[in-house]
Amino acid sequence: GSSLEPQERSMEPPAVPEEEEPLTAASGPEGQQLFGYVGIEAVLDQMKIKTMKMGFEFNIMVVGQSGLGKSTMVNTLFKSKVSPKSSQPGQEERVPKTVQLQSVTHVIEEKGVKMKLTVTDTPGFGDQINNENCWDPIIKYINEQYERYLREEILITRKRKIPDTRVHGCVYFIPPTGHWLRPLDLEFMRRLSKIVNVVPVIAKADTLTLEERAEFKQRVRTGPRGARGCPMSPPAPLKPCAPQIQEDLRTHAISVYPQEDFDQDPDDRALNDRIREKIPFAVVGADQEHQLNGKRVLGRKTKWGVIEVENPAHCEFPLLRDLLIRSHLQDLKDITHNVHYESYRVRRLSESHRLALSPLNGLPPAPPAAPTAPPQRCPSPA
Amino acid sequence: QFSDSAGYVGFANLPNQVHRKSVKKGFEFTLMVVGESGLGKSTLINSLFLTDLYPERYIPGAAEKIERTVQIEASTVEIEERGVKLRLTVVDTPGYGDAINSQDCFKTIIQYIDNQFERYLHDESGLNRRHIIDNRVHCCFYFISPFGHGLKPLDVEFMKALHGKVNIVPVIAKADTLTLKERERLKRRVLDEISEHGIRIYQLPDADSDEDEEFKEQTRASIPFAVIGSNQLIEVKGKKIRGRLYPWGVVEVENPEHNDFLKLRTMLVTHMQDLQEVTQDLHYENFRSERLKRTGK
């Protein structure tokens, strides 16, 4: 049988072909004009389906003194009993003598998307009398995960999917003193923000009124004048002054997430500026539900009222959750991979002569350059 | 924005985050076309992507072809559709199969593919990984002539040499020279010979539970795709369509009853990501292991 048009066509005079039309309309800088529809969008659908099928890993670390509600916060974030609380009876939690790191992994699923969540807790941090260098075990842990990934990456026969244990975000809990950042806070954030995404939060913010919160944030952002940690004069009257806020953070070389340097385009910048204005978030954690006005709400019940965790008028927990999970989760991972991990890799490659890649590089090992500018963002090969 | 139904955390939104970033970043894809001259490769590529990649084509005469060796010509075009950007590079291989003695004609091609792997390996191993460009060949359309009785010796040799380096998608060109029966016979013949020689062509991944299982099966069953390309627009029943006008009728490019063009295009577009992944996870990793083993630690 013929595969051409049905027989009736042969009754009509053959169609006249059009003049061969130019198939490309004016080609703008963006590319050629299409005459019809190819269906490239389908690629995106494939990616989505694949992401959903594969599931993904997400690793966060919580740092702060004991009793600041870290575990409760994690449980509230992920709406499941991910972390065992130190306040529970039966948890033989004596304050460890040194900083211990404990990682717990859970697989949680939502609407067909699977997440392998690992939460690393740091009991003992800041709890000693002498807390000097208490950040060292944490820095060591973070670098160990980078090392692990690097070693997998340089193997001759690599895994198809390298397991990712790198810390994507480090939530740092600031006690709600209402005064200044303590030297420990400054020291920690300064060192860690160089190697990992640091998200500072004001913990147990329900002990602060709204005014006290605003004032505290202002101070956290601005920092005391003069010697670190020593206010030289009573705090200046509240006058939110954006350039100064950023400047003071920068003076201490503390670049918290979302870092300004990594905004990719004006849209990103606008979105992230709004977030940066509110950092650090004043959060309250709760894993108990209460009945309020006919609804079940997650919150803390006191004699003077119920503090609703998910109510933006009560605390900024929703902002933290949205940032970490709903909007910037992938970004946290991307920056970890493209910036922090790459910095680590460059340092290691520069140091070591014995890595398997050296014969291919043909590069003489360069002395590790002291980073004067923060690490730049680069597109991911993976 | 998100319904705070009890228990809803919100990470199910991750695919959308990835989606948004991908749209911003755009995609890169490199497609190689291999086949003897005159099999309609350029016309097909233009039809597939609705572009004119070869505006000023120069077709050499027979005398010139005698001396010709295989050239590698890469052209890049940026295609944007509904906000999604695709940077498509088509690698053409004029001269393939032209020479009287075609013994060495795929050496150049193998070398090109290896060079892209080598370059990527070098970039990936370097200190500055900021601007790695992926020029690796993600897919190779191999054009089989409809005039023979199956694969020619050159076809077999080529595919055996390349199946470990690139995803091969065999295509029967100029399918309008065959009736449906002849087409089916040729397809079966080609598939038998492919299996006989242990040639590994690109396999479509299994359908997901929510994808059209039947559609996937139909697509799979049509390989090798028998296609027709055309740069001409013809008016049929009041519509302008791409086709070839013969005295006995019009062959429509986008008519699934006439040829497998739509199937090929759909397959390509919906599997672009998979093609890239197989290139990365299989072909590139093989190259890399071999290369690193050779260098020795």
Side-chain angles (χ1 to χ4, degrees):
Chain A
S2 172
S3 53
L4 301 181
E5 286 275 79
Q7 292 306 89
E8 59 210 58
R9 290 283 298 126
S10 60
M11 297 304 190
E12 298 162 12
V16 176
E18 297 285 329
E19 285 293 335
E20 183 157 329
E21 291 220 12
L23 293 167
T24 55
S27 48
E30 273 84 56
Q32 319 267 17
Q33 274 285 317
L34 287 186
F35 199 84
Y37 177 66
V38 177
I40 300 171
E41 284 174 286
V43 192
L44 288 179
D45 293 332
Q46 292 299 304
M47 286 193 71
K48 257 203 216 172
I49 293 176
K50 191 139 253 167
T51 314
M52 288 187 56
K53 259 214 308 194
M54 257 189 350
F56 59 101
E57 296 156 307
F58 188 55
N59 310 318
I60 64 168
M61 180 184 269
V62 287
V63 183
Q65 286 171 301
S66 52
L68 281 182
K70 302 189 292 297
S71 308
T72 309
M73 179 56 59
V74 172
N75 292 345
T76 316
L77 270 174
F78 296 99
K79 298 222 176 150
S80 37
K81 300 268 185 282
V82 176
S83 294
K85 284 159 52 172
S86 58
S87 59
Q88 298 213 331
Q91 288 283 333
E92 293 283 284
E93 294 289 336
R94 241 170 292 141
V95 171
K97 285 280 182 269
T98 55
V99 180
Q100 314 278 324
L101 278 104
Q102 294 168 355
S103 294
V104 176
T105 303
H106 291 261
V107 176
I108 48 186
E109 181 172 340
E110 188 171 82
K111 295 199 178 169
V113 182
K114 278 203 199 58
M115 168 155 81
K116 187 163 173 241
L117 170 72
T118 301
V119 179
T120 304
D121 202 348
T122 54
F125 177 86
D127 288 333
Q128 318 305 330
I129 295 173
N130 179 0
N131 285 311
E132 247 164 50
N133 299 325
C134 67
W135 44 79
D136 278 345
I138 296 174
I139 293 180
K140 181 158 165 275
Y141 176 84
I142 292 175
N143 285 335
E144 260 165 23
Q145 309 317 308
Y146 291 148
E147 181 70 26
R148 220 193 255 192
Y149 194 91
L150 180 61
R151 292 209 169 269
E152 289 279 352
E153 207 185 21
I154 65 179
L155 285 178
I156 288 185
T157 311
R158 311 196 275 207
K159 294 199 179 89
R160 184 161 291 206
K161 189 168 173 328
I162 298 178
D164 191 0
T165 55
R166 301 170 294 185
V167 178
H168 302 127
C170 175
V171 184
Y172 185 71
F173 287 69
I174 301 169
T177 58
H179 296 167
W180 306 101
L181 282 180
R182 305 161 302 161
L184 174 62
D185 301 328
L186 286 171
E187 232 2 85
F188 178 86
M189 285 201 279
R190 187 175 66 82
R191 284 163 192 270
L192 272 284
S193 59
K194 293 199 177 122
I195 61 171
V196 72
N197 296 321
V198 175
V199 180
V201 298
I202 301 172
K204 295 204 163 169
D206 52 336
T207 56
L208 298 170
T209 62
L210 290 182
E211 288 83 20
E212 289 167 343
R213 263 184 234 173
E215 225 180 273
F216 188 26
K217 279 198 204 186
Q218 176 72 6
R219 291 195 198 132
V220 164
R221 288 207 284 252
T222 317
R225 311 272 170 276
R228 251 190 355 215
C230 309
M232 294 200 9
S233 53
L238 275 185
K239 229 186 289 195
C241 181
Q244 191 183 24
I245 290 166
Q246 296 301 329
E247 195 192 314
D248 279 339
L249 269 181
R250 248 182 266 136
T251 312
H252 289 295
I254 300 176
S255 175
V256 300
Y257 183 83
Q259 302 91 333
E260 267 194 335
D261 295 309
F262 308 141
D263 290 335
Q264 283 196 298
D265 54 46
D267 287 333
D268 264 4
R269 174 155 304 234
L271 178 70
N272 289 342
D273 275 345
R274 280 201 297 273
I275 296 172
R276 282 187 280 262
E277 269 166 38
K278 299 232 174 73
I279 298 249
F281 298 132
V283 295
V284 176
D287 48 14
Q288 286 196 313
E289 283 185 344
H290 304 276
Q291 197 75 16
L292 189 69
N293 297 334
K295 287 194 311 178
R296 305 278 305 160
V297 294
L298 211 54
R300 290 169 61 73
K301 188 160 179 183
T302 64
K303 282 276 191 290
W304 47 92
V306 175
I307 304 153
E308 296 164 54
V309 161
E310 283 175 330
N311 185 339
H314 288 196
C315 81
E316 290 174 329
F317 169 79
L319 290 178
L320 176 68
R321 178 200 53 204
D322 286 352
L323 179 74
L324 282 183
I325 300 175
R326 293 188 184 174
S327 58
H328 285 68
L329 201 156
Q330 188 59 38
D331 192 57
L332 282 161
K333 294 178 67 171
D334 285 346
I335 294 194
T336 304
H337 181 71
N338 295 332
V339 179
H340 299 300
Y341 171 68
E342 286 296 310
S343 301
Y344 178 82
R345 181 177 171 272
V346 167
R347 279 200 305 273
R348 287 288 281 129
L349 285 185
S350 306
E351 290 165 3
S352 162
H353 305 257
R354 291 176 294 110
L355 289 182
L357 295 177
S358 306
L360 284 179
N361 281 345
L363 289 165
T372 46
Q376 292 296 309
R377 189 164 199 173
C378 54
S380 164
Chain B
Q1 198 185 22
F2 301 102
S3 61
D4 269 319
S5 51
Y8 181 65
V9 176
F11 63 84
N13 192 39
L14 182 80
N16 287 333
Q17 294 178 34
V18 174
H19 184 286
R20 188 169 153 264
K21 282 183 176 248
S22 305
V23 170
K24 270 206 215 176
K25 217 171 90 163
F27 296 92
E28 289 175 317
F29 193 80
T30 301
L31 172 68
M32 179 181 264
V33 288
V34 182
E36 291 174 9
S37 313
L39 281 182
K41 302 189 294 293
S42 318
T43 310
L44 182 72
I45 296 298
N46 285 345
S47 308
L48 270 178
F49 296 100
L50 300 175
T51 61
D52 193 4
L53 273 169
Y54 310 94
E56 257 138 49
R57 240 180 120 209
Y58 167 69
I59 300 182
E64 292 174 58
K65 282 193 192 169
I66 292 178
E67 294 305 312
R68 246 165 52 131
T69 51
V70 179
Q71 310 290 314
I72 305 280
E73 284 171 7
S75 5
T76 305
V77 67
E78 298 209 351
I79 304 176
E80 182 167 343
E81 201 171 75
R82 301 205 185 153
V84 184
K85 288 197 210 26
L86 171 67
R87 196 158 174 276
L88 172 75
T89 302
V90 177
V91 180
D92 204 348
T93 53
Y96 178 85
D98 273 352
I100 295 176
N101 182 356
S102 286
Q103 201 98 13
D104 291 333
C105 73
F106 43 86
K107 276 212 190 126
T108 315
I109 297 173
I110 292 179
Q111 205 162 47
Y112 177 81
I113 293 178
D114 277 347
N115 282 348
Q116 305 316 308
F117 281 154
E118 181 73 39
R119 198 191 287 185
Y120 193 86
L121 178 59
H122 181 271
D123 287 349
E124 195 194 25
S125 314
L127 280 182
N128 187 341
R129 309 209 285 191
R130 215 171 295 178
H131 299 299
I132 298 185
I133 300 175
D134 186 5
N135 280 325
R136 300 172 294 184
V137 181
H138 302 118
C139 179
C140 173
F141 282 178
Y142 190 78
F143 284 69
I144 296 168
S145 164
F147 306 121
H149 292 288
L151 296 178
K152 300 201 177 107
L154 178 62
D155 300 336
V156 173
E157 286 312 303
F158 177 87
M159 289 201 269
K160 271 166 60 174
L162 273 282
H163 66 177
K165 294 194 175 287
V166 72
N167 297 315
I168 297 183
V169 175
V171 168
I172 295 176
K174 294 199 164 176
D176 53 341
T177 58
L178 302 168
T179 63
L180 272 181
K181 253 204 227 149
E182 290 165 346
R183 224 182 273 179
E184 290 309 308
R185 212 183 309 147
L186 180 58
K187 282 190 187 185
R188 249 180 293 128
R189 195 71 197 270
V190 167
L191 285 176
D192 286 343
E193 285 171 348
I194 282 177
S195 143
E196 214 178 282
H197 288 101
I199 295 170
R200 300 190 298 269
I201 58 173
Y202 173 67
Q203 296 296 324
L204 293 174
D206 289 323
D208 301 308
S209 48
D210 52 353
E211 271 180 85
D212 200 325
E213 177 76 50
E214 195 193 303
F215 175 74
K216 259 255 158 86
E217 268 317 301
Q218 267 183 18
T219 308
R220 245 191 229 136
S222 306
I223 295 178
F225 298 111
V227 294
I228 299 159
S230 170
N231 287 339
Q232 286 193 304
L233 290 171
I234 301 182
E235 182 139 349
V236 172
K237 294 182 186 162
K239 282 200 316 184
K240 273 197 212 161
I241 50 117
R242 280 185 185 240
R244 291 173 61 71
L245 175 69
Y246 290 107
W248 47 88
V250 177
V251 182
E252 297 166 41
V253 167
E254 292 191 11
N255 185 334
E257 283 177 22
H258 289 191
N259 75 116
D260 296 328
F261 174 83
L262 278 184
K263 286 209 184 95
L264 174 65
R265 182 204 268 169
T266 309
M267 187 230 68
L268 178 64
V269 168
T270 54
H271 290 87
M272 249 183 211
Q273 231 229 326
D274 188 65
L275 285 161
Q276 283 181 326
E277 277 184 22
V278 176
T279 306
Q280 162 79 28
D281 294 341
L282 180 65
H283 301 298
Y284 172 70
E285 287 296 315
N286 280 343
F287 173 86
R288 184 178 171 275
S289 323
E290 289 306 306
R291 186 73 177 71
L292 290 181
K293 280 185 202 152
R294 262 190 288 138
T295 326
K297 277 187 18 167

